[in-house]
Amino acid sequence: MTAMQTPPLGLYVHLPWCVRKCPYCDFNSHAAPEQLPVETYLAALRADLDRELERAGGRTIASVFIGGGTPSLFPPEAVGRVLDWLAPHLEAGAEITLEANPGTLEQGRFAAFRSAGVNRLSIGVQSFDPARLEALGRIHGPDEARRAVEAAHAAGFTTFNVDLMFALPGQTPAAALQDVAEAVRLGAPHISHYQLTIEPNTVFYSHPPALPDEDTAWAMQQACDEHLRGQGLRRYEVSAWARPGHACRHNLNYWAFGDYLAIGAGAHGKISDAATGTIRRYRKVKVPALYMDRARNGRAEAEAWPLPVAERPLEFLMNALRLEQGFTPELFADRTGMDYTAVASGVAQAVADGLLEDADGRIRTTTTGHAHLDTLLQRFLPETS
């Protein structure tokens, strides 16, 4: 073991309601009631936050990510109140991201969210193709998606993300490329580009749609990657592309095995204690009504568990190897509290096999390693007795 260093700290805020749950979504999201319980939920968040700040022990927060659900369904004033509570605990220039969907009701609120303290948006476009949006169960059309991006510019957001998916039901490589080209044309400084996967406990899992085969999906990804690179965006994580200065700092901290507090129904957190060399993960109560009841009574946490030393290498690598910049042996030691020798031989073998590269003191996945990341990570599974 070696001395663990205290990593940067983020905060995830979960607002669990959306207009309608999409058939591919496995997040903790729920169709919104006719009247959102804004005040009751805010009271629960405040009580939850107070306990989380105690957990932080005076550490400042470098980034906030407000996700869901559709957080932009909440009034900007409500989001502003949360950010006001946080203000004394934020680092100067903290990144504050709000997820938003391109419904026309929400677009008019972008300027108000910015005034409330949000300085980054993540807009869930998914596609600009009407047939693909319908297949995904989205409630917006392509024109609303375009207007949402334009509204982000008009509201003064200098950085924001456009979220896209590919390998959608009935999608061709040309159509996937058109989605990416449209996001670039609209001036998105950050584009998240995810392959649709079918997850358990979703409608698509029970009633799977016909998706492009593996070779077609790979062709889509390659064509889109080439276009994004040619337009001056740089991939910094497996599914994230950004112009210089526009990478999501909150997600970078996550992938670099940093710490993050969590408030809201079903939110997950991770906190390290450098003094004791321990890492703790935890999850809040998932059901919104139960969360609101328990959080106000100091019982928002549903479960918590220590991260055993034997599992730290795999957990670290599952995150860090998604980053284009990879990691250094020093970062591994600082974040896990373990000596780099714990993974050195496995890394060396993966380098020899062409899955990783060791250049300038940084360990990174190769193109082949990216394509076979799950197989690569299996090499670092903890030994079982």
Side-chain angles (χ1 to χ4, degrees):
M1 297 296 288
T2 187
M4 181 187 294
Q5 302 299 311
T6 302
L9 181 66
L11 168 69
Y12 178 72
V13 182
H14 193 70
L15 306 182
W17 291 284
C18 49
V19 174
R20 183 176 66 199
K21 191 170 179 72
C22 296
Y24 59 85
C25 178
D26 69 335
F27 296 151
N28 185 39
S29 59
H30 306 264
E34 187 173 335
Q35 185 70 37
L36 277 178
V38 173
E39 291 301 324
T40 306
Y41 197 74
L42 284 176
L45 286 178
R46 182 60 197 261
D48 199 1
L49 177 62
D50 288 344
R51 292 181 69 87
E52 289 293 291
L53 292 173
E54 290 178 13
R55 191 197 304 273
R59 293 165 63 182
T60 55
I61 296 170
S63 63
V64 179
F65 197 100
I66 306 171
T70 304
S72 52
L73 286 178
F74 271 63
E77 313 82 63
V79 172
R81 282 161 62 186
V82 175
L83 298 179
D84 286 344
W85 303 334
L86 285 170
H89 310 282
L90 296 176
E91 292 184 5
E95 176 189 84
I96 301 171
T97 302
L98 177 84
E99 286 187 335
N101 282 339
T104 53
L105 173 67
E106 295 146 31
Q107 290 173 35
R109 296 178 170 183
F110 284 180
F113 282 122
R114 185 168 178 272
S115 296
V118 175
N119 55 31
R120 185 177 182 275
L121 294 173
S122 184
I123 306 171
V125 169
Q126 314 312 349
S127 177
F128 292 97
D129 181 332
R132 305 290 77 76
L133 289 170
E134 183 177 358
L136 290 174
R138 303 296 288 177
I139 63 170
H140 67 271
D143 288 342
E144 288 173 306
R146 294 184 187 96
R147 285 196 295 268
V149 178
E150 292 163 355
H153 285 297
F157 283 96
T158 57
T159 190
F160 60 87
N161 170 58
V162 167
D163 208 359
L164 295 174
M165 301 173 75
F166 70 96
L168 307 179
Q171 190 177 47
T172 64
L177 182 58
Q178 182 56 42
D179 278 344
V180 165
E182 183 70 354
V184 172
R185 185 191 70 78
L186 289 166
H190 185 292
I191 296 173
S192 295
H193 194 233
Y194 299 96
Q195 181 173 348
L196 173 63
T197 55
I198 306 300
E199 302 291 348
N201 302 315
T202 65
V203 173
F204 275 179
Y205 188 80
S206 303
H207 305 281
L211 300 180
D213 61 34
E214 188 174 322
D215 289 342
T216 302
W218 179 247
M220 288 180 185
Q221 182 174 348
Q222 293 297 97
C224 292
D225 287 358
E226 183 178 351
H227 184 79
L228 289 165
R229 196 174 293 112
Q231 294 297 313
L233 283 86
R234 173 174 141 326
R235 182 166 65 183
Y236 67 92
E237 186 269 332
V238 169
S239 302
W241 294 76
R243 298 196 181 280
H246 292 276
C248 177
R249 294 176 355 228
H250 184 86
N251 285 343
L252 273 173
N253 184 48
Y254 178 87
W255 299 123
F257 211 53
D259 282 353
Y260 45 97
L261 304 173
I263 62 174
H268 287 248
K270 168 186 173 284
I271 195 80
S272 304
D273 187 331
T276 61
T278 57
I279 300 174
R280 181 178 184 270
R281 291 192 179 276
Y282 58 96
R283 178 182 65 80
K284 301 300 174 67
V285 173
K286 290 181 67 173
V287 179
L290 196 58
Y291 168 79
M292 287 185 281
D293 177 60
R294 292 191 178 177
R296 286 176 293 169
N297 296 303
R299 297 183 295 115
E301 198 166 274
E303 59 179 334
W305 60 98
L307 182 59
V309 171
E311 296 178 11
R312 293 182 193 179
L314 177 62
E315 290 237 7
F316 175 89
L317 294 171
M318 283 174 61
N319 290 282
L321 289 182
R322 293 181 65 90
L323 292 171
E324 287 289 305
Q325 67 183 19
F327 69 95
T328 62
E330 292 77 16
L331 184 70
F332 175 86
D334 288 348
R335 299 292 164 87
T336 65
M338 303 175 68
D339 193 87
Y340 179 65
T341 54
V343 294
S345 61
V347 168
Q349 185 59 57
V351 169
D353 294 340
L355 300 174
L356 294 177
E357 63 180 13
D358 185 347
D360 303 321
R362 303 198 73 88
I363 313 302
R364 293 186 287 259
T365 50
T366 62
T367 301
T368 303
H370 270 309
H372 300 92
L373 188 56
D374 288 345
T375 302
L376 169 60
L377 289 170
Q378 287 177 13
R379 300 180 176 211
F380 299 95
L381 287 169
E383 294 183 5
T384 55
S385 55

